[in-house]
Structure formats: structure tokens, C-alpha cells
Coordinates of all heavy atoms in Angstrom, one line a residue:
M171 N -58.5 -21.6 55.3 CA -58.1 -22.3 54.1 C -58.5 -21.5 52.9 O -59.6 -21.1 52.7 CB -58.8 -23.7 54.1 CG -58.2 -24.6 53.1 SD -58.9 -26.3 53.0 CE -59.6 -26.6 54.5
G172 N -57.6 -21.2 52.0 CA -57.9 -20.4 50.8 C -58.6 -21.2 49.7 O -58.7 -22.4 49.8
T173 N -59.0 -20.5 48.6 CA -59.6 -21.1 47.5 C -58.7 -22.2 46.9 O -59.2 -23.3 46.5 CB -60.0 -20.1 46.5 OG1 -60.8 -19.1 47.1 CG2 -60.8 -20.7 45.3
Q174 N -57.4 -21.9 46.8 CA -56.5 -22.8 46.2 C -56.5 -24.1 47.0 O -56.4 -25.2 46.5 CB -55.1 -22.2 46.0 CG -55.1 -21.2 45.0 CD -53.7 -20.6 44.9 OE1 -52.9 -20.6 45.9 NE2 -53.3 -19.9 43.8
D175 N -56.5 -24.0 48.3 CA -56.4 -25.2 49.2 C -57.6 -26.1 49.0 O -57.4 -27.3 48.9 CB -56.5 -24.7 50.7 CG -55.2 -23.9 51.1 OD1 -54.2 -24.0 50.4 OD2 -55.3 -23.3 52.1
R176 N -58.8 -25.6 48.8 CA -60.0 -26.4 48.6 C -59.9 -27.2 47.3 O -60.5 -28.3 47.2 CB -61.3 -25.6 48.6 CG -61.7 -25.2 50.0 CD -62.9 -24.4 50.0 NE -62.5 -23.0 50.1 CZ -63.1 -22.0 49.7 NH1 -64.3 -22.1 49.0 NH2 -62.7 -20.8 49.8
N177 N -59.2 -26.6 46.3 CA -59.1 -27.3 45.0 C -58.0 -28.3 44.9 O -57.9 -29.1 44.0 CB -59.0 -26.3 43.9 CG -60.2 -25.4 43.8 OD1 -61.3 -25.8 44.1 ND2 -60.0 -24.1 43.4
N178 N -57.1 -28.2 45.8 CA -55.9 -29.1 45.8 C -55.7 -29.7 47.2 O -55.2 -29.1 48.1 CB -54.7 -28.3 45.4 CG -53.4 -29.1 45.2 OD1 -53.3 -30.2 45.8 ND2 -52.5 -28.6 44.4
P179 N -56.0 -31.0 47.3 CA -55.9 -31.7 48.6 C -54.5 -31.6 49.2 O -54.3 -31.6 50.4 CB -56.3 -33.1 48.4 CG -56.9 -33.1 47.0 CD -56.5 -31.9 46.3
I180 N -53.5 -31.6 48.3 CA -52.1 -31.6 48.8 C -51.8 -30.2 49.5 O -51.3 -30.1 50.6 CB -51.1 -31.9 47.7 CG1 -51.3 -33.3 47.2 CG2 -49.7 -31.6 48.1 CD1 -50.5 -33.7 46.0
E181 N -52.3 -29.1 48.9 CA -52.1 -27.8 49.4 C -52.9 -27.7 50.7 O -52.5 -27.1 51.7 CB -52.5 -26.7 48.5 CG -51.6 -26.5 47.3 CD -52.0 -25.4 46.4 OE1 -52.8 -24.5 46.8 OE2 -51.6 -25.4 45.2
A182 N -54.1 -28.3 50.8 CA -54.9 -28.2 52.0 C -54.2 -28.9 53.1 O -54.2 -28.4 54.3 CB -56.3 -28.8 51.7
T183 N -53.7 -30.1 52.9 CA -53.0 -30.8 53.9 C -51.7 -30.1 54.4 O -51.4 -30.0 55.5 CB -52.6 -32.2 53.4 OG1 -53.8 -32.9 53.0 CG2 -51.9 -33.0 54.4
A184 N -51.0 -29.4 53.4 CA -49.8 -28.7 53.8 C -50.2 -27.5 54.7 O -49.5 -27.2 55.6 CB -49.1 -28.2 52.5
S185 N -51.3 -26.8 54.4 CA -51.8 -25.7 55.2 C -52.1 -26.1 56.6 O -51.8 -25.5 57.6 CB -53.0 -25.0 54.6 OG -52.7 -24.5 53.3
A186 N -52.8 -27.3 56.7 CA -53.2 -27.8 58.0 C -51.9 -28.2 58.8 O -51.8 -27.9 60.0 CB -54.1 -29.0 57.9
A187 N -50.9 -28.8 58.1 CA -49.7 -29.2 58.8 C -48.9 -28.0 59.2 O -48.3 -28.0 60.3 CB -48.9 -30.0 57.8
A188 N -49.0 -26.9 58.5 CA -48.2 -25.7 58.9 C -48.8 -25.1 60.2 O -48.1 -24.5 60.9 CB -48.4 -24.6 57.8
T189 N -50.0 -25.4 60.5 CA -50.6 -24.9 61.8 C -50.4 -25.9 62.9 O -50.8 -25.6 64.0 CB -52.1 -24.7 61.6 OG1 -52.8 -25.9 61.4 CG2 -52.4 -23.7 60.5
G190 N -49.8 -27.0 62.6 CA -49.6 -28.0 63.6 C -50.7 -29.1 63.8 O -50.7 -29.9 64.6
A191 N -51.7 -29.0 62.9 CA -52.8 -29.9 63.0 C -52.4 -31.2 62.4 O -51.5 -31.3 61.6 CB -54.0 -29.4 62.2
V192 N -53.0 -32.3 62.9 CA -52.8 -33.6 62.3 C -54.0 -34.0 61.4 O -55.1 -33.9 61.9 CB -52.7 -34.7 63.5 CG1 -52.6 -36.1 62.9 CG2 -51.5 -34.4 64.4
V193 N -53.7 -34.3 60.2 CA -54.8 -34.5 59.2 C -54.5 -35.9 58.6 O -53.4 -36.3 58.2 CB -54.7 -33.5 58.1 CG1 -55.8 -33.8 57.0 CG2 -54.9 -32.1 58.6
R194 N -55.6 -36.7 58.6 CA -55.5 -38.1 58.1 C -56.7 -38.4 57.1 O -57.7 -37.8 57.3 CB -55.7 -39.1 59.3 CG -54.6 -39.1 60.3 CD -54.9 -40.2 61.4 NE -54.0 -40.1 62.4 CZ -54.1 -39.4 63.6 NH1 -55.2 -38.7 63.8 NH2 -53.2 -39.4 64.5
R195 N -56.4 -39.3 56.2 CA -57.5 -39.7 55.4 C -58.4 -40.7 56.2 O -57.8 -41.5 57.0 CB -57.0 -40.4 54.1 CG -56.2 -39.5 53.2 CD -55.7 -40.1 52.0 NE -55.2 -41.4 52.2 CZ -54.7 -42.2 51.3 NH1 -54.7 -41.8 50.0 NH2 -54.2 -43.4 51.6
L196 N -59.7 -40.7 56.0 CA -60.6 -41.5 56.7 C -60.1 -43.0 56.6 O -60.1 -43.7 57.7 CB -62.0 -41.4 56.3 CG -63.1 -42.2 57.0 CD1 -63.1 -41.9 58.5 CD2 -64.5 -41.9 56.4
Q197 N -59.8 -43.5 55.5 CA -59.4 -44.9 55.3 C -58.1 -45.2 56.0 O -57.8 -46.4 56.2 CB -59.3 -45.3 53.8 CG -58.3 -44.5 53.0 CD -58.9 -43.3 52.3 OE1 -59.8 -42.7 52.8 NE2 -58.3 -43.0 51.2
D198 N -57.3 -44.2 56.4 CA -56.1 -44.4 57.2 C -56.2 -44.3 58.7 O -55.3 -44.3 59.4 CB -55.0 -43.5 56.7 CG -54.6 -43.7 55.2 OD1 -54.8 -44.8 54.7 OD2 -54.1 -42.7 54.6
T199 N -57.5 -44.0 59.1 CA -57.7 -43.7 60.5 C -58.3 -45.0 61.2 O -59.2 -45.6 60.8 CB -58.7 -42.6 60.6 OG1 -58.3 -41.5 59.9 CG2 -59.0 -42.1 62.1
I200 N -57.7 -45.2 62.4 CA -58.2 -46.4 63.2 C -59.3 -45.9 64.2 O -59.1 -44.8 64.8 CB -57.0 -46.9 64.0 CG1 -56.0 -47.5 63.1 CG2 -57.5 -48.0 65.0 CD1 -54.7 -47.9 63.8
G201 N -60.4 -46.6 64.2 CA -61.5 -46.2 65.1 C -61.1 -46.3 66.6 O -60.4 -47.3 67.0
V202 N -61.6 -45.4 67.3 CA -61.3 -45.4 68.8 C -62.7 -45.4 69.5 O -63.6 -44.6 69.2 CB -60.6 -44.0 69.2 CG1 -60.4 -43.9 70.6 CG2 -59.3 -43.9 68.4
P203 N -62.8 -46.3 70.5 CA -64.1 -46.4 71.2 C -64.3 -45.0 72.0 O -63.4 -44.4 72.5 CB -63.9 -47.5 72.3 CG -62.7 -48.3 71.7 CD -61.9 -47.3 70.9
C204 N -65.6 -44.6 71.9 CA -66.0 -43.4 72.6 C -67.4 -43.6 73.2 O -68.0 -44.6 73.0 CB -66.0 -42.2 71.7 SG -67.2 -42.2 70.4
S205 N -67.9 -42.7 74.0 CA -69.2 -42.8 74.7 C -70.3 -43.0 73.7 O -71.4 -43.5 74.1 CB -69.4 -41.7 75.7 OG -69.4 -40.5 75.0
C206 N -70.1 -42.5 72.5 CA -71.2 -42.6 71.5 C -71.1 -43.8 70.6 O -72.1 -44.2 70.0 CB -71.1 -41.4 70.5 SG -71.5 -39.8 71.4
G207 N -69.9 -44.4 70.5 CA -69.7 -45.5 69.6 C -68.3 -45.7 69.2 O -67.4 -45.9 70.1
T208 N -67.9 -45.4 68.0 CA -66.5 -45.5 67.5 C -66.2 -44.2 66.7 O -66.9 -43.8 65.8 CB -66.3 -46.7 66.6 OG1 -66.7 -47.9 67.2 CG2 -64.9 -46.8 66.1
A209 N -65.2 -43.5 67.2 CA -64.7 -42.2 66.5 C -63.5 -42.5 65.7 O -62.6 -43.2 66.0 CB -64.4 -41.2 67.6
Y210 N -63.6 -41.8 64.5 CA -62.4 -41.8 63.6 C -62.0 -40.4 63.5 O -62.6 -39.5 62.9 CB -62.9 -42.3 62.2 CG -63.4 -43.7 62.3 CD1 -64.7 -44.0 62.6 CD2 -62.6 -44.8 62.1 CE1 -65.2 -45.3 62.6 CE2 -63.0 -46.1 62.2 CZ -64.4 -46.3 62.5 OH -64.8 -47.6 62.6
R211 N -60.8 -40.1 64.1 CA -60.3 -38.7 64.3 C -59.5 -38.3 63.1 O -58.3 -38.6 63.1 CB -59.6 -38.6 65.6 CG -60.4 -39.0 66.8 CD -59.7 -39.0 68.1 NE -60.6 -39.3 69.1 CZ -60.3 -39.8 70.3 NH1 -59.0 -40.0 70.6 NH2 -61.2 -40.0 71.2
V212 N -60.1 -37.7 62.1 CA -59.4 -37.4 60.9 C -58.7 -36.0 61.0 O -57.7 -35.9 60.3 CB -60.4 -37.4 59.7 CG1 -60.9 -38.8 59.4 CG2 -61.5 -36.4 59.9
I213 N -59.1 -35.1 61.8 CA -58.4 -33.9 62.0 C -58.3 -33.6 63.5 O -59.3 -33.5 64.1 CB -59.0 -32.7 61.2 CG1 -59.1 -32.9 59.7 CG2 -58.3 -31.4 61.5 CD1 -59.8 -31.8 59.0
R214 N -57.1 -33.4 63.9 CA -56.9 -33.0 65.3 C -56.1 -31.7 65.3 O -55.0 -31.7 64.7 CB -56.2 -34.1 66.1 CG -57.0 -35.3 66.2 CD -56.7 -36.2 67.4 NE -56.7 -35.4 68.6 CZ -57.0 -35.8 69.7 NH1 -57.5 -37.0 69.9 NH2 -56.9 -35.1 70.8
A215 N -56.6 -30.7 66.0 CA -55.9 -29.5 66.1 C -54.6 -29.6 67.0 O -54.5 -30.5 67.8 CB -56.8 -28.4 66.6
A216 N -53.7 -28.6 66.8 CA -52.5 -28.6 67.6 C -52.8 -28.1 69.0 O -53.8 -27.5 69.3 CB -51.5 -27.7 66.9
N217 N -51.9 -28.4 69.9 CA -51.9 -27.8 71.3 C -53.1 -28.1 72.0 O -53.7 -27.3 72.8 CB -51.7 -26.3 71.2 CG -50.4 -25.9 70.6 OD1 -49.4 -26.6 70.7 ND2 -50.4 -24.9 69.8
D218 N -53.7 -29.3 71.9 CA -54.9 -29.8 72.6 C -56.1 -28.8 72.4 O -56.9 -28.6 73.3 CB -54.6 -30.0 74.1 CG -53.6 -31.2 74.2 OD1 -53.7 -32.1 73.5 OD2 -52.8 -31.1 75.1
S219 N -56.1 -28.1 71.3 CA -57.3 -27.2 71.0 C -58.5 -28.1 71.0 O -58.5 -29.2 70.6 CB -57.0 -26.6 69.6 OG -58.2 -25.9 69.2
P220 N -59.7 -27.5 71.4 CA -60.9 -28.2 71.3 C -61.5 -28.4 69.9 O -62.4 -29.1 69.7 CB -61.9 -27.4 72.1 CG -61.3 -26.0 72.1 CD -59.8 -26.2 72.0
A221 N -60.8 -27.8 68.9 CA -61.3 -28.0 67.5 C -60.8 -29.3 66.9 O -59.6 -29.6 66.9 CB -60.9 -26.8 66.7
S222 N -61.7 -30.1 66.3 CA -61.3 -31.3 65.7 C -62.4 -31.8 64.8 O -63.5 -31.3 64.9 CB -60.9 -32.4 66.7 OG -62.0 -32.7 67.5
V223 N -62.1 -32.7 63.9 CA -63.2 -33.3 63.1 C -63.1 -34.8 63.3 O -62.0 -35.4 63.1 CB -63.0 -33.0 61.6 CG1 -64.0 -33.7 60.8 CG2 -63.1 -31.5 61.4
H224 N -64.2 -35.4 63.7 CA -64.3 -36.9 63.9 C -65.5 -37.4 63.0 O -66.5 -36.7 63.0 CB -64.6 -37.2 65.3 CG -63.6 -36.8 66.3 ND1 -63.7 -37.1 67.6 CD2 -62.4 -36.1 66.2 CE1 -62.7 -36.6 68.3 NE2 -61.9 -36.0 67.4
F225 N -65.3 -38.5 62.4 CA -66.5 -39.3 61.9 C -66.8 -40.3 62.9 O -65.9 -41.0 63.4 CB -66.1 -40.0 60.6 CG -66.0 -39.0 59.4 CD1 -64.8 -38.3 59.2 CD2 -67.0 -38.8 58.6 CE1 -64.7 -37.5 58.1 CE2 -66.9 -37.9 57.5 CZ -65.7 -37.3 57.3
V226 N -68.1 -40.4 63.3 CA -68.5 -41.3 64.4 C -69.5 -42.3 64.0 O -70.6 -41.8 63.4 CB -68.9 -40.5 65.6 CG1 -69.3 -41.4 66.8 CG2 -67.9 -39.5 66.1
D227 N -69.3 -43.6 64.2 CA -70.4 -44.5 64.0 C -71.1 -44.6 65.4 O -70.5 -45.1 66.4 CB -69.8 -45.9 63.7 CG -69.3 -46.0 62.3 OD1 -69.8 -45.3 61.4 OD2 -68.4 -46.8 62.0
I228 N -72.3 -44.1 65.5 CA -73.0 -43.9 66.8 C -73.8 -45.2 67.0 O -74.6 -45.6 66.2 CB -73.8 -42.7 66.8 CG1 -73.0 -41.4 66.6 CG2 -74.6 -42.6 68.1 CD1 -73.7 -40.1 66.5
R229 N -73.6 -45.7 68.2 CA -74.3 -46.9 68.7 C -75.7 -46.5 69.1 O -76.0 -45.4 69.5 CB -73.7 -47.5 69.9 CG -72.3 -48.1 69.8 CD -71.9 -48.8 71.1 NE -72.3 -48.2 72.3 CZ -71.6 -47.3 73.1 NH1 -70.4 -47.0 72.8 NH2 -72.2 -46.8 74.2
I230 N -76.7 -47.4 68.9 CA -78.1 -47.2 69.3 C -78.2 -47.0 70.8 O -79.0 -46.2 71.3 CB -79.0 -48.3 68.9 CG1 -80.4 -47.9 69.0 CG2 -78.7 -49.6 69.6 CD1 -81.2 -47.9 67.8
D231 N -77.3 -47.5 71.6 CA -77.3 -47.4 73.1 C -76.2 -46.5 73.6 O -75.6 -46.7 74.6 CB -77.2 -48.8 73.7 CG -75.9 -49.5 73.4 OD1 -75.2 -49.1 72.4 OD2 -75.5 -50.4 74.2
S232 N -75.9 -45.4 72.8 CA -74.8 -44.5 73.2 C -75.1 -43.9 74.6 O -76.2 -43.8 75.0 CB -74.6 -43.5 72.1 OG -75.7 -42.7 72.0
D233 N -74.0 -43.6 75.3 CA -74.1 -43.0 76.6 C -74.3 -41.5 76.6 O -73.8 -40.8 75.8 CB -72.8 -43.3 77.4 CG -72.5 -44.7 77.5 OD1 -73.4 -45.5 77.6 OD2 -71.3 -45.1 77.5
R234 N -75.2 -41.1 77.5 CA -75.4 -39.6 77.7 C -74.1 -39.0 78.2 O -73.5 -39.6 79.1 CB -76.5 -39.3 78.6 CG -77.9 -39.6 78.1 CD -78.9 -39.2 79.2 NE -80.2 -39.5 78.7 CZ -81.2 -39.7 79.5 NH1 -81.1 -39.6 80.8 NH2 -82.4 -40.0 78.9
H235 N -73.7 -37.9 77.7 CA -72.5 -37.2 78.3 C -72.6 -35.8 77.9 O -73.4 -35.3 77.1 CB -71.3 -37.9 77.7 CG -71.0 -37.7 76.3 ND1 -71.7 -38.4 75.3 CD2 -70.2 -36.9 75.6 CE1 -71.4 -38.1 74.1 NE2 -70.4 -37.1 74.3
Y236 N -71.7 -35.0 78.4 CA -71.5 -33.6 78.1 C -70.0 -33.2 78.2 O -69.2 -33.9 78.7 CB -72.4 -32.7 78.9 CG -71.9 -32.6 80.4 CD1 -71.1 -31.5 80.8 CD2 -72.2 -33.5 81.3 CE1 -70.6 -31.4 82.1 CE2 -71.8 -33.5 82.6 CZ -71.0 -32.4 83.0 OH -70.5 -32.3 84.3
H237 N -69.7 -32.1 77.6 CA -68.3 -31.6 77.6 C -68.4 -30.2 78.2 O -69.1 -29.3 77.8 CB -67.8 -31.5 76.2 CG -67.8 -32.9 75.5 ND1 -66.8 -33.8 75.7 CD2 -68.7 -33.4 74.6 CE1 -67.1 -34.9 75.0 NE2 -68.2 -34.7 74.4
R238 N -67.5 -29.9 79.1 CA -67.4 -28.6 79.7 C -66.6 -27.6 78.9 O -66.8 -26.4 79.0 CB -66.8 -28.7 81.1 CG -67.6 -29.4 82.1 CD -66.9 -29.5 83.4 NE -67.7 -30.4 84.3 CZ -67.8 -30.2 85.6 NH1 -67.2 -29.2 86.2 NH2 -68.5 -31.1 86.3
T239 N -65.6 -28.1 78.1 CA -64.7 -27.2 77.5 C -64.8 -27.1 75.9 O -64.1 -26.4 75.3 CB -63.2 -27.7 77.7 OG1 -63.1 -29.0 77.3 CG2 -62.9 -27.6 79.2
F240 N -65.8 -27.8 75.3 CA -66.0 -27.6 73.9 C -67.4 -28.0 73.5 O -68.1 -28.6 74.2 CB -64.9 -28.4 73.1 CG -65.0 -29.9 73.2 CD1 -65.7 -30.7 72.3 CD2 -64.3 -30.5 74.2 CE1 -65.8 -32.0 72.4 CE2 -64.3 -31.9 74.3 CZ -65.1 -32.7 73.4
T241 N -67.7 -27.7 72.3 CA -69.0 -27.9 71.7 C -68.9 -28.9 70.6 O -68.0 -28.8 69.8 CB -69.6 -26.6 71.2 OG1 -69.7 -25.6 72.2 CG2 -71.0 -26.8 70.6
E242 N -69.9 -29.9 70.6 CA -69.9 -30.8 69.5 C -70.9 -30.4 68.4 O -72.0 -29.9 68.8 CB -70.3 -32.2 70.0 CG -69.2 -32.9 70.8 CD -69.6 -34.3 71.2 OE1 -70.7 -34.5 71.7 OE2 -68.7 -35.1 71.2
I243 N -70.6 -30.5 67.2 CA -71.5 -30.2 66.1 C -71.7 -31.5 65.3 O -70.7 -32.1 64.9 CB -71.0 -29.1 65.2 CG1 -70.8 -27.8 66.0 CG2 -71.9 -28.9 64.0 CD1 -70.0 -26.7 65.3
Y244 N -72.9 -31.9 65.1 CA -73.2 -33.2 64.4 C -73.8 -32.9 63.1 O -74.7 -32.1 62.9 CB -74.2 -34.0 65.3 CG -73.6 -34.7 66.5 CD1 -73.5 -34.0 67.7 CD2 -73.0 -36.0 66.4 CE1 -72.9 -34.6 68.8 CE2 -72.4 -36.6 67.5 CZ -72.4 -35.9 68.7 OH -71.8 -36.5 69.7
T245 N -73.4 -33.7 62.1 CA -74.0 -33.7 60.8 C -74.3 -35.2 60.5 O -73.3 -36.0 60.5 CB -73.1 -33.1 59.7 OG1 -72.8 -31.8 60.1 CG2 -73.7 -33.2 58.3
C246 N -75.5 -35.6 60.2 CA -75.8 -36.9 59.9 C -75.5 -37.2 58.4 O -76.1 -36.6 57.5 CB -77.3 -37.2 60.2 SG -77.8 -38.9 59.9
L247 N -74.6 -38.2 58.1 CA -74.3 -38.5 56.8 C -75.1 -39.7 56.2 O -75.2 -39.8 55.0 CB -72.8 -38.8 56.7 CG -71.8 -37.7 57.1 CD1 -70.4 -38.2 57.1 CD2 -72.0 -36.5 56.3
Q248 N -75.6 -40.5 57.1 CA -76.3 -41.7 56.7 C -77.2 -42.1 57.8 O -76.8 -42.1 59.0 CB -75.3 -42.8 56.3 CG -76.0 -44.0 55.8 CD -74.9 -45.0 55.4 OE1 -73.7 -44.8 55.5 NE2 -75.4 -46.2 54.8
G249 N -78.4 -42.6 57.5 CA -79.3 -43.2 58.5 C -80.1 -42.1 59.2 O -80.3 -41.0 58.6
N250 N -80.6 -42.3 60.4 CA -81.4 -41.4 61.1 C -81.3 -41.6 62.6 O -80.7 -42.6 63.0 CB -82.9 -41.4 60.7 CG -83.5 -42.8 60.8 OD1 -83.3 -43.4 61.9 ND2 -84.1 -43.3 59.8
G251 N -81.8 -40.7 63.4 CA -81.7 -40.9 64.9 C -82.2 -39.6 65.5 O -82.9 -38.9 65.0
F252 N -81.9 -39.5 66.8 CA -82.3 -38.3 67.5 C -81.2 -37.9 68.4 O -80.3 -38.6 68.8 CB -83.6 -38.5 68.3 CG -83.4 -39.5 69.5 CD1 -83.1 -39.1 70.7 CD2 -83.6 -40.9 69.2 CE1 -82.9 -40.0 71.8 CE2 -83.4 -41.8 70.2 CZ -83.1 -41.4 71.5
L253 N -81.2 -36.6 68.8 CA -80.1 -36.0 69.6 C -80.8 -35.4 70.8 O -81.8 -34.6 70.7 CB -79.4 -34.9 68.8 CG -78.2 -34.2 69.5 CD1 -77.1 -35.2 69.7 CD2 -77.7 -33.1 68.5
E254 N -80.3 -35.7 72.0 CA -80.9 -35.1 73.2 C -80.1 -33.9 73.7 O -78.8 -34.0 73.7 CB -80.9 -36.2 74.4 CG -81.4 -35.7 75.7 CD -81.4 -36.8 76.7 OE1 -81.8 -37.9 76.4 OE2 -81.0 -36.4 77.8
L255 N -80.7 -32.8 73.9 CA -80.1 -31.6 74.4 C -80.7 -31.1 75.7 O -81.9 -30.9 75.8 CB -80.2 -30.5 73.3 CG -79.6 -30.7 72.0 CD1 -80.0 -29.6 71.0 CD2 -78.1 -30.9 72.1
D256 N -79.9 -30.9 76.7 CA -80.4 -30.4 78.0 C -81.5 -31.2 78.5 O -82.5 -30.7 79.0 CB -80.7 -28.9 77.9 CG -79.5 -28.1 77.6 OD1 -78.4 -28.5 78.0 OD2 -79.7 -27.1 76.9
G257 N -81.5 -32.6 78.4 CA -82.5 -33.4 78.9 C -83.8 -33.6 78.1 O -84.7 -34.3 78.5
S258 N -83.8 -32.9 77.0 CA -85.0 -33.0 76.1 C -84.8 -33.8 74.8 O -83.7 -33.7 74.3 CB -85.5 -31.6 75.7 OG -85.8 -30.8 76.8

């Protein structure tokens, strides 16, 4: 994404669409149950690529799980908690 894209949401959306990605505004996204809680899939890459952006409301009793084909990166936007990695 170029500098112009970051300054203009319409250009950013057009750039993502040109690559085949699906881009949604958070308020237009329906929550989907997942092992962690509820996921809001705002950006999904084309061709089942493992790259995507989800906002997730994580439950206190979320299920342990792992992914063989992609890596999850978490950023806490609100609240606090802990993340278990490799059993620790």
C-alpha cells in the first residue's frame, strides 16, 4: 500500500480489491464464532491465502488450539489477558 493509499481510504480499498482481497468496515462485519470467541473478519486475502485481519472478542474460556499453515499475530486493543505459547 503506497503513501497515497494510507491517506485516502477509498484508494486503499481499491488497491486491496485489485489484489482480490475482501475488505469490510468493522461495523459492516458480522461476528463469526471461533475457538477464541467471536471473530470479525475485516480483511480476507484472495485465493485462500493465510493472510487476513480479524478483530476478535476473546472469551475468558477460549479453547487451546494451533494452526499448521499460518501464524496468528495478536495486538490487544482493550483490556488485558495472557497468551499461552507452546504450553507455557
